[in-house]
Amino acid sequence: MAMLKDEQEKEITPGIPGDAAETAETAGGNAAEEAEKEKAEKEDVVVAGVHNYSREDSYVYPTDPWVLKKLDWFKDQKLGLMMHWGPYSQLGIVESWALSDRDADWSREGIDWEVTGEEFKKEYFALNKTFNPLRFEPEKWADLAREAGVKYLLFTTKHHDGFCMWDTQYSDYKITAEDCPFHTHKYADICAHLFESFRKRGIGIAAYFSKADWHVDSYWKDDTAKGKFKSRGPSYDPKENPEEWERFVTFTQNQIRELATGYGRLDAMWFDAGWVCKAAGQDIRLGEIIEEVRKVQPGMLCADRMIGGPYENYVTPEQCVPDKPMSIPWESCITLGTSFSFKYEDQYKSPREVICLLVDIVVKGGNLAINVGPQPDGRIPAGAVTALKGMGQWLGQFGEAIYGTRVCAPYKKDGIGFTQKDGKVYAIQTFRNEEDPVEDTVWIPYEGDFQKVTALGEDKVLSFSREKGGCRVVLEQREYDRAPVGRVFCLS
């Protein structure tokens, strides 16, 4: 994950790996491999750290009744809190990506001291020795999430850099290792305490996990033909080194199993690094381990991003929103600030901006995972706290039109978005700017059947009249210092 790029608002063919080009290069250059390389370069699964997303028509519906039940739960939630956090927060730069020499042109822009790429990589991998978030209080994070109206947490257990935010038994590059000063703290096993705090408040848990690991020597090493130059994929060809690749597969499956069986109930596992896939010659046999852990976690969702097939249970647009409603389960992950990771003096979206974004997503049938990068000391940035609390205030009044709803034609028209639930239709009018005019008469372009129109919140409906193409609603006059974030009408 990285910063927002305008060019990401496109769909590409699912399952085209970003590092297929590397695989073809290493394997020796026959015609088929060159064709795969050319295709991958044209349709990269990741551009500047941002994943594209799978097409609606390629979605494979699960057959497991427990998974289908969990998908219904997922579609009810609507609002998740995504959190990218790790030692990289100390630098205030993009997470992990600056380690990849292939991605140096865009990811090292925030590195403002004179070091070589090799020196930087050494310094980055040593950040664990200074990461000491003494002001981390998981209960306060969970309280804030509940106040914000958040229904599930999506937390980075491990990003591409390989640093583990739980007490893994398969790597020493972790928050609980002796060379990390936080290892003696009562909350040292961050995932354990964070997950438990959120669960106590009725908030679901999704574990982000990168399928790549740029720290472990079974994925990245220097004694290969590529030498010290590192790209997103392994530093060797898995076809030519099957034993080494199998060592990485075992390591990865062990960590997935560890998280899914030792850290309480998980509602979902969210797998990043879309170039790690069978099509790119990097098969970690994810389905094999997911089926195993589902014996312990029945129905646990699996979001294998951009891969398609039975283990991409929901689609994950990143830093963008589809133009039209999608009938499949989906979730847009979008930053509250300008970066997924913590950025010093970052600028955060206002509650108005986030609510308008949430409404646009929900009326199209999706969920919003709004991302916040915690500070290196363990606190949530003040600007993010203000935005989250403001979101919760609006949702406290109007959440009935958001949570548990489904799409309702005409979806969005004439500035009104539509959702439906329990035989009721909700018409949501949002105001993107404080200066927008607020009229006492509202046109609702809905032509379905209903008998009554009421308003949620403090507005009161004086009358309504059915007309061609919709319904005209007259409200009791109110004085506004500024336009509200949004108004909601219930048609029943």
Side-chain angles (χ1 to χ4, degrees):
M1 324 275 308
M3 287 187 273
L4 176 60
K5 298 289 181 179
D6 292 338
E7 66 268 26
Q8 298 309 313
E9 304 229 7
K10 63 178 181 176
E11 295 183 14
I12 68 170
T13 305
I16 302 301
D19 269 87
E22 277 188 64
T23 305
E25 250 176 43
T26 313
N30 62 36
E33 288 166 337
E34 288 303 315
E36 179 71 8
K37 174 182 175 180
E38 183 179 354
K39 188 175 185 182
E41 288 173 343
K42 287 180 179 178
E43 300 184 299
D44 204 351
V45 69
V46 181
V47 179
V50 177
H51 277 65
N52 286 288
Y53 61 97
S54 299
R55 292 196 311 253
E56 182 178 8
D57 60 8
S58 66
Y59 183 77
V60 175
Y61 281 91
T63 56
D64 183 336
W66 287 97
V67 175
L68 291 170
K69 183 177 180 181
K70 183 63 74 172
L71 276 175
D72 279 338
W73 169 89
F74 174 78
K75 290 187 285 187
D76 284 344
Q77 305 311 298
K78 304 306 181 188
L79 181 60
L81 176 63
M82 188 179 207
M83 306 188 91
H84 278 67
W85 195 36
Y88 48 80
S89 63
Q90 297 170 94
L91 299 184
I93 65 169
V94 63
E95 65 290 340
S96 298
W97 285 98
L99 291 169
S100 168
D101 295 305
R102 170 180 169 180
D103 295 279
D105 57 340
W106 65 269
S107 64
R108 294 179 187 171
E109 291 175 355
I111 301 168
D112 52 4
W113 65 97
E114 291 298 324
V115 293
T116 66
E118 289 308 305
E119 287 174 318
F120 168 75
K121 284 185 277 188
K122 289 178 182 178
E123 290 177 1
Y124 183 106
F125 279 129
L127 287 170
N128 63 312
K129 298 175 182 177
T130 53
F131 188 46
N132 195 21
L134 292 173
R135 302 184 73 175
F136 168 57
E137 295 180 90
E139 302 284 335
K140 286 188 176 180
W141 285 24
D143 283 340
L144 175 62
R146 183 169 59 181
E147 185 178 351
V150 164
K151 298 301 181 183
Y152 62 97
L153 170 71
L154 173 52
F155 185 72
T156 47
T157 65
K158 180 180 78 166
H159 207 263
H160 313 327
D161 60 13
F163 186 80
C164 300
M165 298 290 275
W166 80 99
D167 186 28
T168 180
Q169 302 306 301
Y170 300 100
S171 172
D172 290 329
Y173 197 53
K174 60 181 178 177
I175 191 70
T176 55
E178 290 187 5
D179 57 355
C180 180
F182 195 64
H183 80 277
T184 59
H185 197 277
K186 64 179 180 178
Y187 296 138
D189 192 338
I190 284 175
C191 286
H193 293 286
L194 198 58
F195 292 175
E196 190 60 28
S197 295
F198 276 69
R199 283 193 202 101
K200 284 179 181 177
R201 287 154 180 80
I203 299 173
I205 304 296
Y208 168 113
F209 182 92
S210 173
K211 295 181 293 183
D213 190 312
W214 295 344
H215 185 267
V216 68
D217 65 359
S218 56
Y219 197 79
W220 266 14
K221 56 177 60 184
D222 293 340
D223 59 344
T224 67
K226 293 182 181 181
K228 293 183 180 295
F229 184 88
K230 296 297 189 295
S231 189
R232 301 166 188 170
S235 56
Y236 59 91
D237 182 357
K239 290 196 297 293
E240 295 181 358
N241 298 271
E243 291 183 1
E244 193 69 13
W245 181 253
E246 188 59 30
R247 192 160 71 92
F248 179 70
V249 171
T250 300
F251 163 78
T252 304
Q253 290 195 352
N254 280 338
Q255 286 203 318
I256 294 169
R257 183 183 296 108
E258 187 177 51
L259 280 169
T261 61
Y263 282 78
R265 189 198 71 251
L266 296 184
D267 297 293
M269 290 197 75
W270 201 94
F271 293 97
D272 208 1
W275 59 90
V276 181
C277 62
K278 186 175 182 179
Q282 298 182 51
D283 186 6
I284 61 168
R285 304 194 299 278
L286 183 63
E288 176 183 296
I289 188 64
I290 293 300
E291 290 303 323
E292 178 186 326
V293 300
R294 278 178 175 164
K295 295 175 182 177
V296 179
Q297 302 267 9
M300 185 189 78
L301 299 179
C302 177
D304 194 10
R305 308 183 69 198
M306 278 306 302
I307 305 305
Y311 299 103
E312 189 175 17
N313 299 146
Y314 59 94
V315 175
T316 57
E318 180 175 342
Q319 293 288 48
C320 67
V321 179
D323 292 333
K324 298 177 181 179
M326 288 201 291
S327 61
I328 62 174
W330 62 278
E331 166 200 80
S332 277
C333 49
I334 296 178
T335 55
L336 185 57
T338 62
S339 174
F340 281 102
S341 55
F342 171 72
K343 182 180 179 182
Y344 290 95
E345 299 179 348
D346 204 356
Q347 299 296 310
Y348 295 94
K349 295 176 177 64
S350 67
R352 181 184 300 273
E353 289 176 288
V354 180
I355 293 300
C356 288
L357 179 65
L358 175 64
V359 169
D360 185 42
I361 288 170
V362 170
V363 301
K364 294 174 181 175
N367 289 7
L368 168 62
I370 192 73
N371 182 91
V372 173
Q375 296 178 175
D377 66 0
R379 291 178 296 165
I380 306 299
V385 171
T386 299
L388 290 168
K389 288 185 175 182
M391 291 162 50
Q393 289 174 2
W394 190 88
L395 287 165
Q397 280 192 300
F398 304 109
E400 177 185 333
I402 299 295
Y403 303 119
T405 60
R406 296 294 184 268
V407 294
C408 176
Y411 314 115
K412 198 171 187 180
K413 186 178 181 181
D414 299 340
I416 305 288
F418 295 90
T419 60
Q420 61 180 328
K421 177 175 63 178
D422 299 332
K424 300 176 182 178
V425 170
Y426 297 94
I428 309 171
Q429 180 186 35
T430 53
F431 298 88
R432 292 193 172 275
N433 301 294
E434 292 183 1
E435 301 79 16
D436 288 349
V438 185
E439 305 291 344
D440 298 327
T441 300
V442 181
W443 172 250
I444 299 178
Y446 180 73
E447 300 183 67
D449 293 330
F450 61 92
Q451 304 299 318
K452 183 171 64 172
V453 179
T454 56
L456 303 188
E458 298 177 7
D459 288 303
K460 293 183 180 179
V461 174
L462 295 180
S463 65
F464 67 93
S465 56
R466 301 292 298 266
E467 301 177 19
K468 183 178 179 180
C471 171
R472 195 171 303 277
V473 178
V474 179
L475 297 172
E476 184 177 270
Q477 188 174 10
R478 290 179 60 191
E479 295 295 329
Y480 292 97
D481 294 329
R482 57 182 181 176
V485 173
R487 300 192 292 198
V488 177
F489 305 94
C490 178
L491 283 59
S492 58

